[in-house]
Amino acid sequence: MAIDLSNNHFMGEIPNTLGELRSLIVLNLSHNYLTGPIPSSLGDLSELESLDLSSNKLHGRIPAELTNLGFLAVLNLSRNDLVGRQTI
């Protein structure tokens, strides 16, 4: 299952309930006006292969729970105000 809600005018925080969509493979919320921290519940999306949260107004630390995403091949968090450890 894929959800592409990019290029809208969504505002507010990303709902924690997105973490309940366990069969989600692609989640694109880029180019909106989303604020707040990234919910750690996104780490529960065990089948997720692509996560794009770029070009929003997210802030805070990148949740360590995202390391639980074993199938994740694409991760785009650019153009936000997020902090976290960078590894190469």
Side-chain angles (χ1 to χ4, degrees):
M1 175 168 58
I3 294 179
D4 186 348
L5 299 173
S6 61
N7 295 302
N8 285 288
H9 295 281
F10 293 128
M11 301 174 86
E13 295 187 4
I14 299 170
N16 282 326
T17 54
L18 279 179
E20 297 173 13
L21 301 174
R22 304 294 162 99
S23 62
L24 198 60
I25 294 175
V26 175
L27 177 58
N28 187 346
L29 298 173
S30 66
H31 299 278
N32 282 293
Y33 300 98
L34 298 172
T35 59
I38 298 173
S40 59
S41 65
L42 293 180
D44 296 333
L45 300 173
S46 57
E47 302 297 318
L48 200 65
E49 296 177 8
S50 177
L51 176 60
D52 191 345
L53 302 175
S54 63
S55 299
N56 279 289
K57 299 180 182 304
L58 301 172
H59 61 81
R61 296 193 64 77
I62 299 169
E65 290 82 359
L66 292 184
T67 61
N68 297 337
L69 303 176
F71 293 109
L72 194 65
V74 175
L75 175 62
N76 191 347
L77 303 175
S78 65
R79 296 188 175 182
N80 283 290
D81 193 21
L82 297 167
V83 296
R85 224 174 119 186
Q86 181 178 8
T87 59
I88 297 177

